């Protein structure tokens, strides 16, 4: 029988996911193809939006409990639909991604392309500071957002190329620390293998970050040498 989540569940997860990111590559791996990482161009935005939306499904799949898969799958599908509207985070054709990420000196959206065909196969946003709604130029902390890899290109080194490129950008901005949040258990495994460690949330943060223990925060010092 189909389990229908309550309106409260939908509101809860919509609120959380409107303020976080998704990552869809399971673990760092040895690249079998060559990928280039560059800043997103205006014409890339529709592709980036679709890659991010498709990646939402993996978060639900990362849970073993059937009811959790159903609840998260429902909530994230609804959020993904809303994100593509005029008022959403992504906007029709990725229009709002352009406004949010391009031509701003405190953030950038990077895309990974398959060098052999030029296809966009992944994306990652990185900004100075931790608040997407504020300009925090001068902060020594950077945050990662909207990381996603096309399903057919996972486990080929795309995710690792993206996260390393985001870290390099953060260093160039004078940041010495990276922070991110995720509910995706596959993403959590990836971040740990990429040198991140789980940290507790500060007590003053909202109940959204503590309830049910779904949201995890990971950090990394940029002084650490990558393997």
């Amino acid at each position: 029988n189909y389990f229908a989540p309550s309106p409260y569940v939908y509101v809860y997860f919509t609120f959380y996911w409107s303020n976080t990111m998704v990552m869809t590559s399971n673990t760092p791996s040895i690249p079998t193809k060559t990928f280039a990482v560059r800043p997103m161009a205006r014409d890339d935005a529709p592709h980036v939006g679709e890659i991010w939306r498709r990646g939402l499904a993996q978060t639900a799949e990362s849970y073993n409990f059937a009811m959790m898969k159903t609840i998260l799958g429902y909530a994230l599908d609804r959020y993904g639909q809303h994100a593509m509207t005029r008022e959403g985070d992504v906007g029709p054709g990725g229009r709002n991604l352009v406004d949010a990420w391009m031509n701003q000196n405190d953030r950038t959206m990077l895309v990974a392309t398959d060098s052999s065909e030029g296809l966009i196969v992944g994306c990652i946003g990185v900004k100075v500071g931790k608040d997407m709604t504020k300009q925090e130029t001068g902060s020594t902390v950077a945050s990662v957002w909207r990381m996603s890899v096309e399903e057919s290109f996972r486990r080929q080194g795309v995710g690792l190329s993206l996260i390393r490129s985001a870290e390099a950008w953060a260093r160039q901005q004078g940041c010495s620390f990276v922070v991110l949040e995720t509910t995706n258990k596959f993403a959590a495994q990836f971040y740990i293998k990429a040198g991140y460690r789980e940290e507790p949330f500060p007590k003053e943060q909202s109940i959204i970050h503590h309830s049910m223990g779904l949201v995890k925060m990971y950090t990394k010092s940029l002084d650490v040498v990558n393997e």
Side-chain angles (χ1 to χ4, degrees):
N1 294 333
Y2 177 73
F3 176 81
S6 70
Y8 172 78
V9 170
Y10 169 60
V11 171
Y12 173 93
F13 284 107
T14 298
F15 176 86
Y16 169 66
W17 279 99
S18 67
N19 292 280
T20 191
M21 67 291 177
V22 178
M23 205 292 292
T24 60
S25 181
N26 292 353
T27 57
S29 55
I30 299 173
T32 57
K33 293 184 179 181
T34 303
F35 301 100
V37 178
R38 59 170 174 78
M40 180 181 74
R42 182 176 294 270
D43 291 344
D44 298 331
H47 306 289
V48 171
E50 289 299 329
I51 289 172
W52 170 80
R53 183 181 179 185
R54 287 192 289 270
L56 290 174
Q58 194 202 40
T59 295
E61 291 301 315
S62 72
Y63 287 81
N64 294 324
F65 187 38
M67 184 177 292
M68 184 59 69
K69 286 180 185 285
T70 301
I71 292 172
L72 280 174
Y74 174 84
L76 293 174
D77 181 66
R78 291 291 299 274
Y79 171 58
Q81 291 179 38
H82 175 73
M84 308 301 283
T85 66
R86 185 177 300 176
E87 297 78 22
D89 298 344
V90 177
R95 183 187 312 156
N96 295 347
L97 288 177
V98 173
D99 295 338
W101 289 98
M102 293 186 67
N103 303 317
Q104 300 197 51
N105 59 8
D106 73 326
R107 67 194 70 185
T108 187
M109 177 68 71
L110 303 173
V111 298
T113 61
D114 178 355
S115 297
S116 63
E117 301 180 34
L119 300 174
I120 296 175
V121 297
C123 59
I124 188 171
V126 56
K127 79 173 293 289
V128 177
K130 298 186 289 185
D131 191 336
M132 275 296 298
T133 67
K134 297 178 180 178
Q135 290 269 342
E136 299 175 276
T137 305
S139 174
T140 58
V141 177
S143 54
V144 166
W145 303 79
R146 297 196 180 282
M147 185 171 182
S148 189
V149 175
E150 282 280 31
E151 183 174 6
S152 60
F153 285 87
R154 294 173 192 163
R155 300 184 64 82
Q156 297 182 46
V158 179
L160 194 58
S161 295
L162 285 166
I163 196 71
R164 295 296 185 240
S165 296
E167 292 168 359
W169 182 91
R171 286 192 187 92
Q172 292 173 358
Q173 312 310 308
C175 296
S176 56
F177 201 70
V178 178
V179 62
L180 56 87
E181 298 173 15
T182 188
T183 302
N184 186 324
K185 290 189 174 185
F186 294 148
Q189 296 170 16
F190 168 87
Y191 291 130
I192 290 170
K193 291 190 176 183
Y196 288 74
R197 65 180 185 180
E198 184 179 345
E199 299 282 359
F201 283 104
K203 292 182 179 179
E204 63 271 17
Q205 286 202 272
S206 72
I207 191 173
I208 295 296
H209 294 82
H210 300 284
S211 181
M212 300 173 67
L214 295 179
V215 187
K216 304 294 184 181
M217 179 171 68
Y218 295 87
T219 64
K220 181 180 179 180
S221 169
L222 293 181
D223 295 330
V224 175
V225 176
N226 295 320
E227 296 182 357

